[in-house]
């Protein structure tokens, strides 16, 4: 255990989040996403897991240490519901609330068509699979920067 680090962040996830650089993409996925096969194509080449958490719980833990990009509109995204791209299921509303809380402002995610999401995920830095069983619990987070401290 470490002080100030959310205990839901395991060593493998922390290592990955720390290794990522500005603009790198992280995929947070539900249990139905083809996480293992997609993760093999990512920079890390392996699947990371936060299995006992919902997407919102995992997002809250991740966003406690992970800055979202402030330079681009696609700092975070959600997989669109097939046939209803404007629909926001509860799992997505919960993750949006965690983003807003972490950012201290309303910062809406972009929507990403299902197959475009799969393509983006294959090019991501890493995929983290959660224990989320609700459909459309698939998200993209683009890493931002931490500015220098003023002295």
């Amino acid at each position: 255990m470490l002080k100030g680090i959310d205990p839901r962040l395991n060593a493998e996830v922390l290592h990955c989040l720390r290794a990522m650089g500005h603009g790198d993409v992280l995929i947070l996925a539900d249990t139905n996403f083809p996480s293992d096969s997609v993760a093999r194509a990512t920079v890390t080449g392996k699947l990371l897991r936060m299995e006992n958490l919902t997407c919102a719980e995992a997002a809250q833990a991740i966003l406690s240490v992970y800055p979202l990009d402030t330079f681009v509109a696609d700092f975070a995204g959600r997989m669109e519901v097939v046939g209803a791209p404007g629909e926001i299921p509860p799992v997505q509303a919960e993750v949006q609330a965690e983003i807003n809380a972490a950012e201290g402002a309303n910062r809406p995610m972009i929507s990403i068509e299902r197959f475009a999401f799969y393509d983006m995920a294959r090019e991501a830095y890493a995929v983290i699979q959660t224990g989320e069983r609700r459909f459309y619990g698939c998200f993209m987070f683009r890493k931002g920067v931490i500015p220098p401290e003023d002295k």
Side-chain angles (χ1 to χ4, degrees):
M1 300 300 296
L2 298 171
K3 290 181 177 181
I5 302 291
D6 191 310
R8 296 174 292 186
L9 296 170
N10 61 54
E12 292 79 17
V13 169
L14 277 173
H15 179 271
C16 175
L17 298 178
R18 174 63 179 92
M20 293 175 72
H22 183 210
D24 282 340
V25 170
L26 177 69
I27 299 298
L28 187 64
D30 62 31
T31 59
N32 293 299
F33 188 74
S35 297
D36 188 61
S37 62
V38 169
R40 291 177 200 187
T42 65
V43 172
T44 61
K46 65 179 185 174
L47 178 61
L48 303 174
R49 297 179 186 272
M50 295 177 79
E51 295 176 314
N52 297 321
L53 303 175
T54 66
C55 282
E57 292 167 337
Q60 182 183 52
I62 290 165
L63 295 173
S64 73
V65 297
Y66 184 92
L68 291 173
D69 202 333
T70 57
F71 295 110
V72 295
D74 66 342
F75 65 93
R78 60 177 183 81
M79 182 189 285
E80 289 179 354
V81 175
V82 174
E87 182 181 335
I88 308 293
V91 64
Q92 294 183 355
E94 291 168 16
V95 169
Q96 182 64 65
E98 294 300 338
I99 291 169
N100 294 348
E103 295 291 289
N106 184 27
R107 289 192 72 200
M109 291 181 276
I110 64 163
S111 64
I112 306 166
E113 187 273 331
R114 178 179 168 217
F115 293 108
F117 189 95
Y118 291 156
D119 291 341
M120 175 182 273
R122 286 182 193 92
E123 295 178 11
Y125 192 91
V127 175
I128 298 174
Q129 185 176 44
T130 67
E132 183 65 67
R133 292 181 60 194
R134 293 175 289 178
F135 299 145
Y136 296 100
C138 297
F139 304 92
M140 174 277 293
F141 297 144
R142 189 175 304 278
K143 191 171 184 186
V145 298
I146 298 173
E149 294 180 19
D150 293 332
K151 295 193 179 204

